[in-house]
Amino acid sequence: MAKTISKLGVFTSGGDSPGMNAAIRSVVRTCAYHKIQCAGIYRGYEGMIEGDFVPMDARSVKDIINRGGTILKSARSDEFRTKEGRKKAFDQLTKAGIDGLVAIGGDGTFTGAMIFSQEFDFPVMGIPGTIDNDIFGTSHTLGYDTALNTVVEVIDKIRDTASSHNRLFFIEVMGRDVGHIALNAGVGAGAEEILIPEEDLGLDRLLESLRRSKSSGKSSSIVVVAEGDKIGKNVFELKDYVESHMSEYEVRVSVLGHMQRGGSPSCFDRVLASRMGVKAVESLLEGKTDFMVGLINDKIALTPLTKAVKGKSDINLELLRVSEIMTT
Ligand code: F6P
């Protein structure tokens, strides 16, 4: 028998991403639209265990759709990995009259939500928020599009100085152990080489490609390296290796780091967040639980959390071929 929801809790967890605030806004306003209460939970599962809640209404989320980060903060919680910690969270939610959850985060967030839901028969719905785009069941996670635009903008700037000094740049981007950011931003920025964990090209292949670029008259080169790349070396060792094998290049390194997690969300991420928030709340109100809201073939769709946390987000092989052709 589906539970009736009277008060929803919403929280953000794991690495923050642009669009999380837009999703919070959508969840809160959809609750207001359906005349059910909503509480913000600060700092993810850590705040849930501490009962760090704040009532939220339609006005609580004004002027945040355009803000990066998350007004509810985020944190990683070891205590929630324990049954005792989850019981504390359950007791806090019960005390606050919260009878359903919308979890905005990545696969770690959803794993915790799934276990919690099963242990306490507690309705949960997931919204994929991470720049990595590494979650099964959606073509886009919240923040991915914004991160791509941030990375392309930065690479364009680096290319100015690379071409001024005839330098080769290794640019490391985020993505944890997948290469979506590197591949898409690399193609978008016209990188000469893109190194991703899904494809181990090997160092010889890299040198051969760089030599080909040089002999074709390219005076500078940009190599985008996914942080999870398995070529066997970190980006600084890659620099040393190439410098020792290609005296014709002066090599520099830029590690973009956490700037990729910030910034005002793109229109795409704002619209996606708004769509996902409505679907998450209305799915809970329809009695559904343990699903993740995703974008599949441009439609908002539900994927069981069990699949979302176990599935893989495959690299786009057609785009991989495009990148190979573009680096001719
Ligand atoms: O998952 C998002 C992400 O930015 C990854 O791309 C990156 O590897 C990781 O988080 C960094 O984690 P932290 O913010 O804890 O340093």
Side-chain angles (χ1 to χ4, degrees):
M1 173 69 176
K3 293 186 162 188
T4 51
I5 303 277
S6 60
K7 184 173 182 180
L8 273 183
V10 58
F11 66 95
T12 48
S13 171
D16 67 313
S17 71
M20 281 189 166
N21 279 327
I24 294 166
R25 171 179 177 272
S26 177
V27 168
V28 173
R29 291 205 171 161
T30 306
C31 287
Y33 178 82
H34 288 284
K35 299 193 178 7
I36 60 164
Q37 294 177 73
C38 188
I41 300 168
Y42 282 112
R43 294 172 295 113
Y45 293 120
E46 196 175 72
M48 200 184 290
I49 289 170
E50 295 168 8
D52 193 0
F53 306 153
V54 59
M56 298 185 87
D57 62 20
R59 301 285 61 81
S60 312
V61 288
K62 69 182 175 62
D63 303 331
I64 67 167
I65 192 170
N66 60 327
R67 285 173 53 190
T70 161
I71 59 170
L72 292 177
K73 311 288 182 192
S74 181
R76 294 181 167 100
S77 165
D78 290 333
E79 193 178 3
F80 195 80
R81 292 173 187 275
T82 68
K83 176 88 190 249
E84 297 69 28
R86 293 191 291 270
K87 178 66 170 66
K88 282 184 194 171
F90 177 71
D91 292 343
Q92 292 283 12
L93 293 170
T94 306
K95 196 166 79 177
I98 294 171
D99 46 21
L101 288 173
V102 176
I104 305 169
D107 49 3
T109 304
F110 296 159
T111 302
M114 193 172 61
I115 295 167
F116 182 79
S117 172
Q118 286 155 7
E119 275 175 355
F120 298 98
D121 186 22
F122 203 94
V124 300
M125 205 57 66
I127 292 179
T130 169
I131 65 168
D132 300 341
N133 204 38
D134 57 350
I135 299 180
F136 178 80
T138 186
S139 60
H140 290 73
T141 54
L142 288 183
Y144 173 57
D145 180 67
T146 303
L148 289 181
N149 289 305
T150 298
V151 171
V152 165
E153 195 181 326
V154 171
I155 295 176
D156 287 352
K157 293 180 192 302
I158 293 175
R159 185 176 289 282
D160 289 346
T161 179
S163 53
S164 302
H165 290 265
N166 292 340
R167 283 172 171 165
L168 161 61
F169 268 82
F170 282 107
I171 300 175
E172 185 189 274
V173 298
M174 282 186 162
R176 204 176 289 276
D177 49 14
V178 298
H180 296 299
I181 294 177
L183 180 55
N184 284 269
V187 172
E192 277 67 33
E193 269 303 323
I194 303 169
L195 304 181
I196 56 175
E198 294 85 351
E199 200 195 34
D200 180 2
L201 293 177
L203 290 165
D204 294 343
R205 162 78 178 63
L206 173 63
L207 288 179
E208 181 197 305
S209 170
L210 292 173
R211 286 194 177 106
R212 203 170 45 244
S213 293
K214 194 76 177 169
S215 55
S216 71
K218 289 192 178 186
S219 60
S220 65
S221 271
I222 300 279
V223 179
V224 176
V225 185
E227 65 177 340
D229 176 57
K230 303 284 182 288
I231 204 164
K233 302 182 173 293
N234 68 42
V235 69
F236 293 98
E237 289 178 1
L238 267 180
K239 168 187 181 292
D240 296 343
Y241 181 83
V242 169
E243 266 184 340
S244 63
H245 289 76
M246 287 184 73
S247 56
E248 58 268 46
Y249 262 132
E250 200 183 351
V251 187
R252 290 291 186 274
V253 171
S254 276
V255 177
L256 301 194
H258 284 69
M259 73 162 81
Q260 299 164 90
R261 292 253 289 268
S264 177
S266 63
C267 181
F268 179 89
D269 274 332
R270 299 180 195 192
V271 172
L272 181 60
S274 302
R275 294 172 70 187
M276 285 183 165
V278 171
K279 185 69 176 178
V281 173
E282 293 187 340
S283 298
L284 284 167
L285 296 181
E286 290 160 9
K288 295 190 179 81
T289 183
D290 290 63
F291 285 95
M292 180 196 81
V293 181
L295 186 66
I296 301 176
N297 300 326
D298 290 333
K299 294 213 178 341
I300 296 291
L302 298 179
T303 298
L305 283 179
T306 48
K307 287 192 176 170
V309 297
K310 288 203 182 67
K312 268 170 46 55
S313 67
D314 293 332
I315 209 78
N316 181 335
L317 296 177
E318 173 262 334
L319 182 59
L320 199 57
R321 182 166 180 276
V322 167
S323 79
E324 275 151 24
I325 295 171
M326 291 305 110
T327 54
T328 303

